[in-house]
Amino acid sequence: MEQQKTKLISLSWPIYIELLFTMFLGVADTLMLARYSDLSVAAVGNAQRVIGLFIVILNVASLGVGVVVSQYLGSGDETQAKKAMKTGLFGNVMVALILAVLLQLFGGLVFTIINTDESIFSESLYYLRVVSTGLLFVALTQAAGSGFKAFGRPKVVMYIVAAMNIVNVLLNFLLIFGIGFFPELGSRGAAYATLASRTFAFALTLYFLWKYLRIQPFFLKFAPLRKYYVKIMKIGLPGAGERFVYQFSQVVVLGFLNTIGTLAVTTQIYVHNLMMPVMIFSLAVAQGNQVIVGWRVGAKNYEDAYHRTLKTVRLAFIFVIFASSFMYFNSKWLLSLFTDNESIIAMGQRAML
């Protein structure tokens, strides 16, 4: 089939652009809030790290959808692939509903546990409560994105995330600083902009699901099928488990940094944002490789799937060594893009090393 001939680079480059845009969603908030207040950066950074931990949980079904759909397509069974995708969409949204309720009820407790400073506590909690309501939209967009990639359409996801970023940046500019007749809302404006942009991405996702795959909105016409969801979870749970452990470790580190002070928290957020373009290269080629390996496994071409993965690892390893070195040697200039605070820049250079 046509998908079997797709090369890693042709799949991975739109995924990389998509991940860059996804990363920029947080970076845009950080960059604009840095011009507004370093305290607001720390407040939003605390909230984003907690929300990020919960979003990783949604990766369980998303990761499983990508692999299971790829395997069905590799075996030439598109009907089963679409049924599995619809099951993943439904399941992910149900999980997101539970997570959103938990964050609304226990967000304050989480910030207490990670030692969030009193000066930013209420600001962090407000941002979390607004943005966490959009987890339902994130759930559908993520799971559908994995499905689009499995069907060999990564550019669709790239277009959705690019449009989401345009909406987010525009609304950030208007609502953080209060341009024209818009009120100056600071971090609250960033929260509203993020929620609005994710709502827009959700609407676009529904449109492209119907346009390219003829999949109707799951809540109008769909009965979830247990056998597909079991398959998705068997693959998704161990796959997303590694990401969850990493994200959880970052929340623990944030708890330690909060005891040091908001300056340390702000520095860590700047450094994390700068290193993300390097990290997501590996994620992009991994996701591209995941789709190709899924096709190969579905076609029972196991030997080729194995050697393809080894080549992908070597490519990612070499790139990350060179890119991270470049970032470190230019760290002073890069950090100055976010702030002119010399203490933050000096601390950030040490952290980047």
Side-chain angles (χ1 to χ4, degrees):
M1 61 191 299
E2 183 182 347
Q3 285 103 328
Q4 301 280 15
K5 300 177 183 178
T6 304
K7 293 182 179 180
L8 177 66
I9 298 301
S10 62
L11 269 174
S12 297
W13 78 259
I15 295 175
Y16 183 70
I17 300 300
E18 170 226 330
L19 291 174
L20 269 180
F21 279 131
T22 302
M23 174 210 71
F24 190 71
L25 201 65
V27 173
D29 288 355
T30 303
L31 275 172
M32 292 186 174
L33 286 170
R35 300 289 177 259
Y36 185 79
S37 164
D38 280 336
L39 277 180
S40 291
V41 172
V44 169
N46 268 269
Q48 285 180 338
R49 196 57 52 81
V50 172
I51 294 169
L53 180 63
F54 281 73
I55 287 177
V56 168
I57 297 174
L58 299 177
N59 282 337
V60 172
S62 300
L63 183 63
V65 165
V67 174
V68 172
V69 171
S70 294
Q71 290 178 357
Y72 278 127
L73 290 173
S75 64
D77 195 338
E78 188 171 316
T79 300
Q80 295 270 56
K82 287 185 178 181
K83 287 181 179 179
M85 186 170 171
K86 286 190 284 186
T87 299
L89 294 174
F90 183 86
N92 220 29
V93 170
M94 292 301 100
V95 172
L97 180 61
I98 295 170
L99 296 181
V101 171
L102 289 175
L103 279 173
Q104 294 294 322
L105 294 176
F106 302 110
L109 177 62
V110 173
F111 287 132
T112 300
I113 292 172
I114 63 174
N115 305 306
T116 303
D117 194 274
E118 288 184 6
S119 62
I120 60 173
F121 191 97
S122 61
E123 202 172 345
S124 294
L125 185 58
Y126 190 91
Y127 185 93
L128 179 132
R129 283 180 170 161
V130 171
V131 174
S132 63
T133 59
L135 283 179
L136 298 176
F137 306 141
V138 174
L140 181 96
T141 305
Q142 276 193 352
S146 293
F148 281 128
K149 292 167 191 173
F151 273 93
R153 292 187 176 273
K155 290 182 182 178
V156 172
V157 190
M158 181 182 72
Y159 297 146
I160 291 171
V161 178
M164 178 172 65
N165 267 274
I166 292 171
V167 172
N168 183 63
V169 170
L170 178 62
L171 291 179
N172 264 343
F173 181 67
L174 296 174
L175 296 175
I176 291 175
F177 303 107
I179 304 300
F181 59 83
F182 290 92
E184 182 180 327
L185 298 175
S187 63
R188 294 189 176 197
Y192 296 139
T194 299
L195 178 59
S197 63
R198 286 177 174 169
T199 305
F200 182 65
F202 169 78
L204 280 179
T205 301
L206 291 180
Y207 168 73
F208 285 123
L209 278 171
W210 175 249
K211 179 178 180 180
Y212 291 116
L213 302 180
R214 284 296 182 261
I215 293 177
Q216 294 183 12
F218 65 93
F219 48 79
L220 294 181
K221 185 181 179 182
F222 176 61
L225 300 172
R226 181 176 177 274
K227 72 169 186 174
Y228 298 115
Y229 203 68
V230 170
K231 276 188 174 183
I232 289 168
M233 287 297 103
K234 279 184 177 178
I235 292 171
L237 279 171
E242 176 266 332
R243 299 180 191 178
F244 178 82
V245 170
Y246 171 78
Q247 195 68 28
F248 182 77
S249 73
Q250 294 302 298
V251 173
V252 173
V253 169
L254 183 62
F256 291 136
L257 290 173
N258 277 325
T259 64
I260 300 173
T262 55
L263 202 67
V265 174
T266 302
T267 302
Q268 198 270 350
I269 292 164
Y270 290 154
V271 170
H272 182 76
N273 284 331
L274 285 173
M275 293 309 298
M276 281 303 292
V278 179
M279 296 167 66
I280 64 174
F281 176 84
S282 295
L283 291 176
V285 294
Q287 287 186 26
N289 183 69
Q290 170 189 305
V291 172
I292 293 175
V293 166
W295 292 338
R296 300 292 191 270
V297 170
K300 303 190 184 306
N301 192 351
Y302 304 115
E303 189 70 18
D304 188 51
Y306 174 73
H307 289 294
R308 161 58 57 195
T309 299
L310 293 182
K311 289 179 182 178
T312 302
V313 170
R314 286 195 292 269
L315 173 66
F317 190 77
I318 292 169
F319 174 85
V320 167
I321 287 175
F322 283 101
S324 57
S325 299
F326 172 83
M327 298 294 281
Y328 169 67
F329 288 116
N330 293 278
S331 57
K332 185 173 183 178
W333 174 75
L334 290 168
L335 286 162
S336 68
L337 297 175
F338 290 92
T339 182
D340 56 5
N341 188 313
E342 291 298 329
S343 297
I344 291 178
I345 292 174
M347 196 186 308
Q349 286 182 276
R350 294 195 297 273
M352 287 188 75
L353 175 61

